[in-house]
Amino acid sequence: MANRPEEFPQFTVLSEQAINERTQRLAKYMSSNPQILEISDRQVNPKSVAQIIDRVEKRRIYFHIFHEGMKMGELNEFSLYYFWILKLCPFKHSSIDNAELNAKISLRLFIDVVHSVAFRQNKKANMDSKIIQAIYYSFRYRDLSKESIMLMAESLIF
Protein backbone atom coordinates (compact mmCIF):
# COMPACT_ATOMS: atom_id res chain seq x y z
CA MET A 1 0.00 0.00 0.00
CA ALA A 2 1.41 3.40 -1.00
CA ASN A 3 1.92 6.13 1.57
CA ARG A 4 4.61 8.31 0.04
CA PRO A 5 3.94 10.72 -2.85
CA GLU A 6 6.53 9.12 -5.11
CA GLU A 7 4.78 5.74 -4.75
CA PHE A 8 1.61 7.01 -6.45
CA PRO A 9 1.39 7.05 -10.22
CA GLN A 10 0.87 10.39 -11.94
CA PHE A 11 -2.62 11.18 -13.16
CA THR A 12 -2.52 11.02 -16.95
CA VAL A 13 -4.45 13.19 -19.34
CA LEU A 14 -7.87 11.72 -20.08
CA SER A 15 -8.38 10.37 -23.55
CA GLU A 16 -10.61 12.25 -25.95
CA GLN A 17 -13.04 9.32 -25.80
CA ALA A 18 -13.22 9.50 -21.97
CA ILE A 19 -13.84 13.25 -22.09
CA ASN A 20 -16.53 12.77 -24.77
CA GLU A 21 -18.28 10.06 -22.72
CA ARG A 22 -18.38 12.24 -19.62
CA THR A 23 -19.41 15.30 -21.63
CA GLN A 24 -22.31 13.31 -23.09
CA ARG A 25 -23.41 12.28 -19.60
CA LEU A 26 -23.44 15.90 -18.50
CA ALA A 27 -25.18 16.92 -21.74
CA LYS A 28 -27.84 14.26 -21.13
CA TYR A 29 -28.92 16.03 -17.96
CA MET A 30 -28.83 19.37 -19.71
CA SER A 31 -30.80 18.18 -22.75
CA SER A 32 -33.60 16.90 -20.53
CA ASN A 33 -33.86 20.42 -19.21
CA PRO A 34 -36.10 22.79 -21.22
CA GLN A 35 -35.18 25.78 -19.06
CA ILE A 36 -31.53 25.43 -20.04
CA LEU A 37 -32.29 24.77 -23.69
CA GLU A 38 -34.39 27.97 -23.97
CA ILE A 39 -31.08 29.81 -24.22
CA SER A 40 -30.59 28.83 -27.82
CA ASP A 41 -27.42 30.70 -28.66
CA ARG A 42 -25.40 29.96 -25.55
CA GLN A 43 -21.78 29.12 -26.13
CA VAL A 44 -19.75 26.44 -24.43
CA ASN A 45 -16.01 26.60 -23.92
CA PRO A 46 -14.91 23.00 -24.67
CA LYS A 47 -11.53 23.51 -22.98
CA SER A 48 -13.26 24.54 -19.76
CA VAL A 49 -15.59 21.52 -19.95
CA ALA A 50 -12.59 19.21 -20.47
CA GLN A 51 -10.87 20.84 -17.49
CA ILE A 52 -13.98 20.33 -15.35
CA ILE A 53 -14.15 16.66 -16.31
CA ASP A 54 -10.45 16.25 -15.58
CA ARG A 55 -10.88 17.75 -12.09
CA VAL A 56 -13.87 15.54 -11.33
CA GLU A 57 -11.92 12.45 -12.37
CA LYS A 58 -8.99 13.46 -10.14
CA ARG A 59 -11.43 13.75 -7.25
CA ARG A 60 -12.78 10.27 -8.08
CA ILE A 61 -9.25 8.95 -7.56
CA TYR A 62 -8.97 10.97 -4.33
CA PHE A 63 -12.10 9.19 -3.04
CA HIS A 64 -10.61 5.83 -3.94
CA ILE A 65 -7.25 6.52 -2.28
CA PHE A 66 -8.27 8.42 0.83
CA HIS A 67 -11.58 6.71 1.55
CA GLU A 68 -10.31 3.13 1.27
CA GLY A 69 -11.66 2.27 -2.16
CA MET A 70 -14.95 4.12 -1.75
CA LYS A 71 -16.61 4.98 -5.03
CA MET A 72 -17.85 8.51 -5.51
CA GLY A 73 -21.63 8.55 -5.66
CA GLU A 74 -23.71 10.37 -8.24
CA LEU A 75 -24.61 13.23 -5.89
CA ASN A 76 -20.96 13.82 -5.05
CA GLU A 77 -19.89 13.58 -8.68
CA PHE A 78 -22.47 16.09 -9.85
CA SER A 79 -21.75 18.35 -6.88
CA LEU A 80 -18.22 18.57 -8.23
CA TYR A 81 -19.59 19.45 -11.66
CA TYR A 82 -21.69 22.28 -10.14
CA PHE A 83 -18.69 23.54 -8.18
CA TRP A 84 -16.45 23.66 -11.24
CA ILE A 85 -19.17 25.13 -13.47
CA LEU A 86 -19.52 27.92 -10.90
CA LYS A 87 -15.76 28.46 -10.78
CA LEU A 88 -14.79 28.11 -14.44
CA CYS A 89 -17.99 29.43 -16.07
CA PRO A 90 -17.81 27.34 -19.26
CA PHE A 91 -21.18 28.61 -20.53
CA LYS A 92 -21.51 32.05 -22.07
CA HIS A 93 -24.24 34.13 -23.64
CA SER A 94 -24.10 37.60 -25.13
CA SER A 95 -27.02 38.99 -23.09
CA ILE A 96 -26.54 37.24 -19.73
CA ASP A 97 -23.76 37.72 -17.20
CA ASN A 98 -21.48 34.64 -17.27
CA ALA A 99 -21.60 34.06 -13.53
CA GLU A 100 -25.38 34.38 -13.48
CA LEU A 101 -25.82 32.00 -16.43
CA ASN A 102 -23.52 29.38 -14.94
CA ALA A 103 -25.20 29.67 -11.53
CA LYS A 104 -28.60 29.11 -13.17
CA ILE A 105 -27.35 26.13 -15.16
CA SER A 106 -25.75 24.66 -12.01
CA LEU A 107 -28.95 25.19 -10.05
CA ARG A 108 -31.07 23.53 -12.73
CA LEU A 109 -28.71 20.54 -12.88
CA PHE A 110 -28.61 20.40 -9.07
CA ILE A 111 -32.41 20.24 -8.85
CA ASP A 112 -32.67 17.57 -11.56
CA VAL A 113 -29.96 15.33 -10.14
CA VAL A 114 -31.25 15.56 -6.55
CA HIS A 115 -34.77 14.68 -7.73
CA SER A 116 -33.46 11.85 -9.93
CA VAL A 117 -31.38 10.30 -7.14
CA ALA A 118 -34.24 10.66 -4.63
CA PHE A 119 -36.65 8.99 -7.07
CA ARG A 120 -34.32 6.03 -7.68
CA GLN A 121 -33.91 5.59 -3.91
CA ASN A 122 -37.70 5.72 -3.37
CA LYS A 123 -37.23 8.89 -1.34
CA LYS A 124 -38.27 12.51 -1.72
CA ALA A 125 -36.34 15.70 -2.28
CA ASN A 126 -37.07 18.75 -0.13
CA MET A 127 -37.01 21.39 -2.87
CA ASP A 128 -39.56 24.07 -2.08
CA SER A 129 -39.18 27.51 -3.63
CA LYS A 130 -37.44 29.03 -0.56
CA ILE A 131 -34.78 26.31 -0.60
CA ILE A 132 -34.27 26.72 -4.34
CA GLN A 133 -33.87 30.49 -3.93
CA ALA A 134 -31.39 29.98 -1.09
CA ILE A 135 -29.36 27.52 -3.17
CA TYR A 136 -29.31 29.90 -6.14
CA TYR A 137 -28.20 32.76 -3.89
CA SER A 138 -25.46 30.53 -2.47
CA PHE A 139 -24.33 29.44 -5.93
CA ARG A 140 -24.27 33.03 -7.11
CA TYR A 141 -22.80 34.93 -4.15
CA ARG A 142 -21.37 32.67 -1.47
CA ASP A 143 -17.99 31.04 -1.30
CA LEU A 144 -18.97 27.37 -1.33
CA SER A 145 -16.60 24.45 -1.05
CA LYS A 146 -16.95 21.22 -2.96
CA GLU A 147 -17.84 19.46 0.26
CA SER A 148 -20.53 21.98 1.22
CA ILE A 149 -22.27 21.46 -2.13
CA MET A 150 -22.05 17.67 -1.62
CA LEU A 151 -23.57 18.00 1.85
CA MET A 152 -26.28 20.32 0.58
CA ALA A 153 -27.31 17.79 -2.09
CA GLU A 154 -27.32 14.87 0.35
CA SER A 155 -29.27 16.75 3.03
CA LEU A 156 -32.16 17.53 0.67
CA ILE A 157 -33.08 13.87 0.21
CA PHE A 158 -35.24 12.22 2.89
Side-chain angles (χ1 to χ4, degrees):
M1 193 149 177
N3 63 9
R4 293 185 311 205
E6 61 274 4
E7 294 175 343
F8 289 91
Q10 294 293 312
F11 186 81
T12 57
V13 176
L14 292 171
S15 70
E16 190 173 325
Q17 179 183 352
I19 289 173
N20 287 338
E21 288 170 0
R22 287 158 181 84
T23 300
Q24 287 175 4
R25 182 167 185 227
L26 187 57
K28 180 186 118 190
Y29 275 96
M30 291 182 72
S31 68
S32 66
N33 220 310
Q35 291 87 346
I36 293 173
L37 293 178
E38 285 174 6
I39 305 168
S40 60
D41 58 344
R42 73 171 186 268
Q43 299 171 347
V44 180
N45 181 333
K47 288 183 180 179
S48 292
V49 172
Q51 187 178 12
I52 288 168
I53 291 167
D54 181 71
R55 291 176 180 274
V56 170
E57 291 308 306
K58 286 177 181 174
R59 188 63 174 216
R60 187 181 315 280
I61 292 169
Y62 169 89
F63 266 74
H64 175 78
I65 293 170
F66 294 103
H67 296 286
E68 299 175 9
M70 177 191 297
K71 297 211 183 290
M72 183 168 50
E74 187 175 20
L75 282 177
N76 287 345
E77 176 182 352
F78 275 92
S79 293
L80 292 170
Y81 282 120
Y82 317 138
F83 176 82
W84 288 113
I85 289 170
L86 293 168
K87 292 290 182 191
L88 299 179
C89 294
F91 303 101
K92 299 187 183 335
H93 190 276
S94 59
S95 65
I96 303 171
D97 175 74
N98 288 348
E100 179 182 353
L101 175 63
N102 285 277
K104 287 181 177 181
I105 288 172
S106 292
L107 176 66
R108 195 64 240 174
L109 290 169
F110 181 91
I111 292 167
D112 286 353
V113 171
V114 168
H115 277 296
S116 177
V117 169
F119 178 78
R120 284 195 309 277
Q121 294 177 355
N122 291 322
K123 296 180 179 179
K124 295 189 181 201
N126 184 12
M127 291 288 218
D128 67 27
S129 63
K130 281 185 168 185
I131 290 173
I132 291 171
Q133 288 173 350
I135 294 168
Y136 173 73
Y137 183 87
S138 296
F139 279 5
R140 186 75 169 90
Y141 301 108
R142 291 196 172 124
D143 185 22
L144 297 173
S145 69
K146 298 172 214 61
E147 293 78 9
S148 66
I149 297 173
M150 290 175 185
L151 180 61
M152 200 181 336
E154 291 171 13
S155 68
L156 293 171
I157 296 175
F158 63 96

